[in-house]
Amino acid sequence: MKRKLKMGMVGGGSDAFIGAIHRRAAFMDNLIELVCGCFSANPEISRSSGREYFIPDHRIYDNYHEMFEREMELPEEERMDFVTIVTPNKWHFEPAMMALERGIHVVLDKPITFSLEEAVKLREKVEETGLVLALTHVYSGYPAVKEAKARIAGGELGRIRKVYVEYTQGWLSQRIELQGGNNAGWRTNPNTTGKAGCMGDIGTHAWHLAEYVTGLKVQEVCADLQTYVEGRPVDDDGASLLRLETGVTGVLMATQIATGEANNIRIRVYGDKGGLEWRQMDPNRLILRWGDKPTQELYMGNNEFLSDIAKWNTRTPAGHPEGFIEAFANIYRNFALTVMAKRNGEVPNGHITDFPSVYDGVRGMQFVETMVEASKDNHTKWFKWIE
Amino acid sequence: MKRKLKMGMVGGGSDAFIGAIHRRAAFMDNLIELVCGCFSANPEISRSSGREYFIPDHRIYDNYHEMFEREMELPEEERMDFVTIVTPNKWHFEPAMMALERGIHVVLDKPITFSLEEAVKLREKVEETGLVLALTHVYSGYPAVKEAKARIAGGELGRIRKVYVEYTQGWLSQRIELQGGNNAGWRTNPNTTGKAGCMGDIGTHAWHLAEYVTGLKVQEVCADLQTYVEGRPVDDDGASLLRLETGVTGVLMATQIATGEANNIRIRVYGDKGGLEWRQMDPNRLILRWGDKPTQELYMGNNEFLSDIAKWNTRTPAGHPEGFIEAFANIYRNFALTVMAKRNGEVPNGHITDFPSVYDGVRGMQFVETMVEASKDNHTKWFKWIE
Amino acid sequence: MKRKLKMGMVGGGSDAFIGAIHRRAAFMDNLIELVCGCFSANPEISRSSGREYFIPDHRIYDNYHEMFEREMELPEEERMDFVTIVTPNKWHFEPAMMALERGIHVVLDKPITFSLEEAVKLREKVEETGLVLALTHVYSGYPAVKEAKARIAGGELGRIRKVYVEYTQGWLSQRIELQGGNNAGWRTNPNTTGKAGCMGDIGTHAWHLAEYVTGLKVQEVCADLQTYVEGRPVDDDGASLLRLETGVTGVLMATQIATGEANNIRIRVYGDKGGLEWRQMDPNRLILRWGDKPTQELYMGNNEFLSDIAKWNTRTPAGHPEGFIEAFANIYRNFALTVMAKRNGEVPNGHITDFPSVYDGVRGMQFVETMVEASKDNHTKWFKWIE
Amino acid sequence: MKRKLKMGMVGGGSDAFIGAIHRRAAFMDNLIELVCGCFSANPEISRSSGREYFIPDHRIYDNYHEMFEREMELPEEERMDFVTIVTPNKWHFEPAMMALERGIHVVLDKPITFSLEEAVKLREKVEETGLVLALTHVYSGYPAVKEAKARIAGGELGRIRKVYVEYTQGWLSQRIELQGGNNAGWRTNPNTTGKAGCMGDIGTHAWHLAEYVTGLKVQEVCADLQTYVEGRPVDDDGASLLRLETGVTGVLMATQIATGEANNIRIRVYGDKGGLEWRQMDPNRLILRWGDKPTQELYMGNNEFLSDIAKWNTRTPAGHPEGFIEAFANIYRNFALTVMAKRNGEVPNGHITDFPSVYDGVRGMQFVETMVEASKDNHTKWFKWIE
């Protein structure tokens, strides 16, 4: 029988930010229901959160070990189909691996793991089990970003030459991690966030956006990571020259100390026929520039001149803005349809398979390793991508 | 016991536009579940739609008469708590009245009814029953619009003088209602849409936005309605000079023949200390202008400088854009919390009661009547608001 | 022999605003030199200003009567070819008429005169003498405005239906005319400015822009003029529904009490194939919107896709912004080339004749009369254009 | 006696682009008159151009040797006070040196010379003679750029941390230098343009803007210069990581192959209290961002909240856009007032001395040398500024 996909959750208590986004994204399209979870390392918060989410008490768990154990005792029809993990990076790997080992699909927030080594293990497990792992590089979920990718893949910009990608935030401009009550704490702590601060948290998004849109892989970097806020043990700023496949060069900028910037991720790509630009804080517009004709502004919606993949990932007619949650929901919806197809014994294909996977996750951790190594000892030079 | 609110639906089949928006808005915050519906005048489509929405067959109905009858036979815990009605205007009144008569709360798309007379009857029934009726004037659901209202109410702009409100669309620039396969058909047919075309469909939104933001009522208009597309039996364009309470004057423009415009609703208000501007196609920004200091741009999010009501209606941190569906969801969430409060015997108050009601609905129908009468016989002159 | 055109000036002392703009516009293209003037009603200021402008003492005059008398005594090669008059409206007519009677061409700031009657007399004198009179409706001098006009004239937007024109300023939002030291004094005094305040000062610009861009004449208005600042004897705000030739309707808004607005004149025109938008505070861009293809942004410059007339009125390559002074200079340059052509016995034609003339001036005064009459006694109704 | 400054010109024939900009900038403020010149290497063009500029035949010269010789024979009151040199880089040094040797002030387009060696010689000569040399780094002439500098200098942004500067053009995206009839020829020829193509032509502007606005010097770079268009003997693209004084880091991007970009120079600077952004294609706005309050947009004009230096370099009230020619004119006006002050035996000071000088010129050539050396042999690493 046709039924919704059942979701469990690790993290995402009522005191957390990104968990609520995941839930809204998951619920929006009416394909997924939340059935269980351990929503916090603090059992009290887990419990009160679960009740707030209308979860029956017996499926609100104190920790993920308990959750996986007890869920597996339920009939297959009842137990969770997939788990969404929205904990600090340090606690991505273990629950993800436990899920995969039990035949449960996984949605993970980025970066995929605490270390590259862990990411590689997840990749192996995914390949071994054939399960689906989605990684929420949300910016690739925006229809205008998919339109950008489609235009480049279709050759409209000609031979690609240049890519500028940047991600500027200002919220870590002061040492707010000392105040508590925000998620700056674990994000600036190398024991919970991993080798890189800014580069892991938002640099990975910028890198992913560049590779997703151009379809080209970064091969060498020349990086300069900085820590501007005194006492902070990880980078909070960085920039890098890039060399990508086919001779494309580029620049990546990521910073969390650009005071006054909110969440300004933006990409520009230029080919020998045209260029394009997308800015997340005005996400429904894609700008196309041309050598010999006027600049075009494509406002998303079901316009005929848009690509099928952009339209597939759009819920509203032109002029009705979509945003961050819808971009997230595109990943969830495509993930859900992929899992459902598998459940029905079908081979998922077409637009529904277009969401970041464990391979993006591994590459993202390589990016972190590469940037940290490349910047070490102030030796800035062309540094080869760490495979 | 705490449980989600149960929603039934009239209209909103898988071939419809606005129904899908309503569902996403209703589901996003995990307070509401869809339990039944008659999703189309065509029973085949109703059935296939219901299944697509994971409704069990016995609660997919062929028509709303059947729906209300059968739902009332269910235990109170199971039956729908409220009904969302997203049919053409002609079929708003009857199901809404049937619901109210049965103790079922109502969500209605705008304009509230086919005629002013019907709207007044709904108002009486709401007053009689104490039930909740929400009207989805979605633009008042945007956090930046609520911020605008809060700033004006707080006196920051000084004594208000001028309001410009406009709503420009271009999709009816050609006679596409003859093609079928779109919702232009019923919207341009006076038998289904009511006395006004453009003024009823989008003029009401513009009018509502003006009154909502300023907190002032329109008292007189001087209107010019036009039909630009030959053969169309209702207006597809119009403009009006406005006089509001306290000596404020203004201009309202609404058109569906502004070729190339998507869904461009925008408001500007000026007082003797400052002015503000909001545009729906860039909805996360509110512009404040001042006589003696720089223009300010407020990007929504949980910024400290925003009003409580804007923050209450925001789901993301600054820089993470929200859009049309979230604005819709604000109406649904506030409506749901209001109904839940009533269910718990509490008096709903505070931000949760801030959503358009049956009183906005009646006034919206007065607006339609006023504009049509004022424009009649080409006699443009100051015309008093029809009460 | 080829020589620059010699300019005299009435008004434009070093304490004035618009006179300096006129001079810069006149000098920029190296076709015009300033040779004489009476720069202020105050002979002291006239003298010090003239010296600042490098005028020899004997050609700095105390008043324009003296100026015309003495200039006529000079050899034709030496005397001024034309006079620029940048005084308050009350003192436009007399010096302009004196110039025309002496064979001297004229540049006048708008509105052309204090009254319609005076404007008609100037028109008769221009027709009688064959001299050139340019009126500085500066906004029609912008290349993007000329591009807009060319696109509409060429039929690209299809049959025109709708025009929205607006001019919002906030500088008269308080009664600053009482402070002195600014030019609010004469502009809000009916003895110096004429029948209308806001409508004469900036409404005329908005009206002119609408007629210039569309090529259509306003035939009827339905107007509401307001005075928001207590004690001010003229209107400081107004709006009007418009009916133009060929069934086009529109809205004109002009206000000087929109607190925080600087000098925001903007036009939108829609036809059945497309629409366009231009905003003066971002003057190098022209937006074209289409029913079936992406919005275009044309950045001025010598782009091949621009019209010849836009290119003729452009001094820089694409991406090098021009502004208000260049728009003014386009009027001066075209005026100068027209006068030079006449001097050479040629019939001026082509792009050089595209500048506002005495006919625009008369029509502008008709606009003022029409708006004032139409708004009188609060009788708002369709009011026929006063010829 | 008070008189205008007399300008001679090398280059700037009627077939050239930048010469016309220089003239308009020089004439606009009525402080300068053109008295002589050799306007082209082609005497025919020089002659016809000079006549077009109303220069008497005897002061139109065939070459600059002749010009300097003959001008020196004129009485001091008649001869040129300064010479503007707007030839390809190869021919900057010789005429500039000849002028300085004869007591004639100089205006030079950037980059100052063909080589660093030449620039150093000019510096020595300027120091020796006490003459004035202005270099037209035009972007530092915009009032909003001066406002940016003033805000940073005044400490409003706090301690500066980061600077992003970029200059994207697309006009050399194809090998248009082969077509002739444009100025791509000499700009892509190392025999006329110097060691660098893109970096010399526009990279110098970006570098200068960064140092001007921040008041900080670049100390190390890590650069990657590219040639994307096959067969082109100089770089047409490049990017560089920057290290500036006081621990500031940054990124500089300059490219001429960003297809569809016009002349997009833009700067962003972040300190620990706030950030700012300026874009040349929307030059009248300065954006200020803050950690704890709304973003501000400052529209230039004589607003009270602007710095004195911004107001000094502004000619219009708020809302009346200025552009590229006015930015150029600010350099000319300040240069002219400085020369006049010297002529009057005064020590020039205050805002009039704020224009790029021979020191900026020398540093600009160091920038070119540094970028070329740093990028050589693909050895990207931190490379010390070449003094």
Side-chain angles (χ1 to χ4, degrees), chain A residues 24-86:
Chain A
R24 290 192 170 99
F27 299 149
M28 181 184 290
D29 294 309
N30 199 27
L31 297 171
I32 293 168
E33 59 185 331
L34 181 65
V35 296
C36 69
C38 52
F39 302 101
S40 174
N42 178 333
E44 295 278 314
I45 295 178
S46 181
R47 196 140 306 267
S48 64
S49 299
R51 285 173 182 163
E52 197 182 304
Y53 312 155
F54 302 100
I55 308 296
D57 279 6
H58 69 284
R59 293 183 80 180
I60 307 175
Y61 303 102
D62 284 358
N63 59 64
Y64 53 78
H65 295 90
E66 185 197 9
M67 178 177 79
F68 286 117
E69 193 176 333
R70 303 273 279 278
E71 285 287 311
M72 293 311 289
E73 298 164 7
L74 296 172
E76 206 181 321
E77 285 289 300
E78 270 180 52
R79 94 171 62 124
M80 68 172 150
D81 295 300
F82 77 96
V83 65
T84 284
I85 301 167
V86 287

Side-chain angles (χ1 to χ4, degrees), chain A residues 162 166 261 266 268 270, chain D residues 166 261 266 268 270:
Chain A
K162 202 82 199 176
E166 59 191 68
E261 293 287 354
R266 174 183 180 230
R268 289 172 284 173
Y270 300 96
Chain D
E166 58 190 69
E261 294 288 355
R266 175 183 180 228
R268 286 172 286 174
Y270 300 97

Side-chain angles (χ1 to χ4, degrees), chain C residues 77-333:
Chain C
E77 285 289 302
E78 271 181 52
R79 94 170 62 124
M80 66 173 150
D81 295 300
F82 76 96
V83 66
T84 285
I85 301 167
V86 286
T87 47
N89 307 342
K90 179 71 182 175
W91 298 282
H92 281 193
F93 175 74
E94 196 183 44
M97 188 56 90
M98 288 182 74
L100 293 173
E101 285 168 345
R102 283 159 184 77
I104 296 170
H105 305 280
V106 174
V107 175
L108 262 172
D109 212 303
K110 51 42 59 188
I112 193 169
T113 48
F114 186 74
S115 70
L116 173 55
E117 194 191 352
E118 288 177 353
V120 169
K121 284 185 191 159
L122 283 188
R123 182 183 64 197
E124 286 164 3
K125 185 57 73 177
V126 165
E127 289 178 343
E128 179 194 318
T129 58
L131 292 163
V132 185
L133 186 153
L135 188 70
T136 53
H137 274 304
V138 54
Y139 304 107
S140 67
Y142 276 106
V145 170
K146 295 189 187 289
E147 182 71 24
K149 182 183 179 64
R151 297 271 173 160
I152 288 173
E156 286 192 50
L157 303 193
R159 188 182 169 83
I160 300 306
R161 290 165 165 176
K162 201 81 198 177
V163 54
Y164 299 127
V165 67
E166 58 190 69
Y167 197 152
T168 55
Q169 295 184 330
W171 72 298
L172 293 181
S173 173
Q174 305 299 325
R175 201 163 169 203
I176 59 164
E177 56 266 42
L178 300 185
Q179 299 166 16
N182 57 49
N183 58 40
W186 74 260
R187 288 180 202 264
T188 56
N189 180 346
N191 297 323
T192 44
T193 198
K195 280 187 183 172
C198 174
M199 276 301 144
D201 198 26
I202 65 172
T204 47
H205 273 310
W207 152 80
H208 185 262
L209 186 61
E211 290 201 348
Y212 180 74
V213 168
T214 63
L216 299 171
K217 288 192 162 46
V218 176
Q219 294 180 316
E220 281 184 291
V221 308
C222 175
D224 187 25
L225 271 53
Q226 296 286 336
T227 301
Y228 271 104
V229 174
E230 220 174 323
R232 189 170 280 161
V234 291
D235 57 290
D236 50 23
D237 169 85
S240 176
L241 306 178
L242 304 177
R243 290 190 173 164
L244 297 92
E245 295 169 322
T246 74
V248 172
T249 60
V251 179
L252 180 150
M253 292 166 277
T255 186
Q256 296 178 310
I257 54 88
T259 312
E261 295 287 354
N263 196 51
N264 197 358
I265 175 166
R266 174 183 180 229
I267 189 166
R268 289 172 284 174
V269 182
Y270 300 96
D272 60 9
K273 291 190 189 154
L276 60 77
E277 176 172 358
W278 178 77
R279 289 177 296 134
Q280 194 261 162
M281 286 178 67
D282 193 10
N284 295 284
R285 289 174 173 88
L286 179 66
I287 308 298
L288 300 181
R289 296 193 175 89
W290 306 102
D292 51 359
K293 48 185 186 178
T295 295
Q296 293 177 313
E297 178 191 286
L298 283 63
Y299 201 97
M300 293 300 111
N302 291 312
N303 288 309
E304 291 191 18
F305 51 73
L306 295 178
S307 63
D308 285 347
I309 195 167
K311 282 189 269 193
W312 169 255
N313 287 284
T314 300
R315 290 164 184 78
T316 57
H320 299 73
E322 301 194 27
F324 186 74
I325 302 177
E326 286 77 18
F328 239 101
N330 285 335
I331 294 178
Y332 268 94
R333 186 176 57 166

Side-chain angles (χ1 to χ4, degrees), chain B residues 14-306:
Chain B
S14 51
D15 57 337
F17 145 57
I18 201 69
I21 300 292
H22 278 259
R23 279 191 303 278
R24 289 190 171 99
F27 299 149
M28 180 183 290
D29 293 309
N30 199 27
L31 296 172
I32 293 168
E33 61 185 329
L34 180 65
V35 297
C36 68
C38 53
F39 301 100
S40 173
N42 178 334
E44 294 278 315
I45 294 177
S46 180
R47 196 140 305 268
S48 64
S49 299
R51 286 174 181 164
E52 197 181 306
Y53 310 154
F54 301 102
I55 309 297
D57 279 7
H58 68 283
R59 292 181 82 180
I60 307 175
Y61 303 102
D62 284 359
N63 58 65
Y64 53 79
H65 296 91
E66 186 196 8
M67 179 176 79
F68 287 116
E69 192 177 336
R70 302 270 281 279
E71 285 286 312
M72 293 310 290
E73 298 164 8
L74 296 172
E76 206 181 321
E77 286 290 301
E78 270 181 53
R79 92 169 64 123
M80 66 173 151
D81 295 301
F82 77 94
V83 65
T84 285
I85 301 168
V86 287
T87 47
N89 307 343
K90 180 68 179 175
W91 298 280
H92 281 194
F93 175 74
E94 196 183 42
M97 189 55 91
M98 289 180 74
L100 294 173
E101 286 168 346
R102 283 158 184 77
I104 296 170
H105 305 280
V106 174
V107 175
L108 263 171
D109 211 305
K110 48 43 59 187
I112 192 169
T113 48
F114 186 73
S115 70
L116 173 54
E117 196 190 351
E118 290 176 352
V120 170
K121 286 184 190 160
L122 285 187
R123 184 184 62 196
E124 287 164 2
K125 184 58 74 179
V126 165
E127 290 178 344
E128 179 194 319
T129 59
L131 292 163
V132 185
L133 187 152
L135 188 70
T136 53
H137 273 305
V138 55
Y139 304 108
S140 67
Y142 276 106
V145 170
K146 295 188 187 289
E147 182 71 24
K149 181 184 181 63
R151 297 271 174 162
I152 288 173
E156 286 193 51
L157 304 194
R159 189 183 166 82
I160 300 305
R161 289 164 166 177
K162 201 82 199 177
V163 54
Y164 300 127
V165 66
E166 57 190 70
Y167 197 153
T168 55
Q169 294 184 331
W171 70 298
L172 293 181
S173 173
Q174 305 299 324
R175 203 165 167 200
I176 59 163
E177 56 266 43
L178 300 185
Q179 298 166 17
N182 57 48
N183 58 39
W186 75 259
R187 286 178 203 266
T188 57
N189 180 346
N191 296 325
T192 43
T193 200
K195 279 188 183 171
C198 174
M199 277 300 144
D201 198 27
I202 64 171
T204 48
H205 273 310
W207 152 79
H208 184 263
L209 187 60
E211 290 200 350
Y212 179 75
V213 168
T214 62
L216 298 171
K217 289 193 161 42
V218 176
Q219 296 180 316
E220 282 184 290
V221 308
C222 175
D224 188 24
L225 272 53
Q226 296 287 335
T227 301
Y228 271 104
V229 173
E230 221 175 322
R232 187 170 282 163
V234 291
D235 58 290
D236 51 23
D237 170 85
S240 176
L241 307 178
L242 304 177
R243 289 189 175 166
L244 296 91
E245 294 169 322
T246 73
V248 172
T249 60
V251 179
L252 180 149
M253 296 167 273
T255 186
Q256 297 178 308
I257 54 89
T259 313
E261 294 288 354
N263 195 52
N264 197 359
I265 175 166
R266 174 183 180 229
I267 188 165
R268 289 172 283 174
V269 182
Y270 300 97
D272 60 9
K273 291 190 190 154
L276 60 77
E277 175 172 358
W278 177 77
R279 289 177 296 131
Q280 194 260 162
M281 287 178 67
D282 193 9
N284 295 284
R285 288 175 174 88
L286 177 67
I287 308 298
L288 299 181
R289 296 194 175 89
W290 306 102
D292 52 359
K293 46 185 187 177
T295 295
Q296 292 177 311
E297 179 192 284
L298 283 63
Y299 200 97
M300 291 301 111
N302 291 312
N303 287 309
E304 293 191 18
F305 50 73
L306 296 178

Side-chain angles (χ1 to χ4, degrees), chain D residues 334 338 348-356:
Chain D
N334 291 332
T338 294
N349 59 30
H351 302 325
I352 68 169
T353 66
D354 179 54
F355 56 86

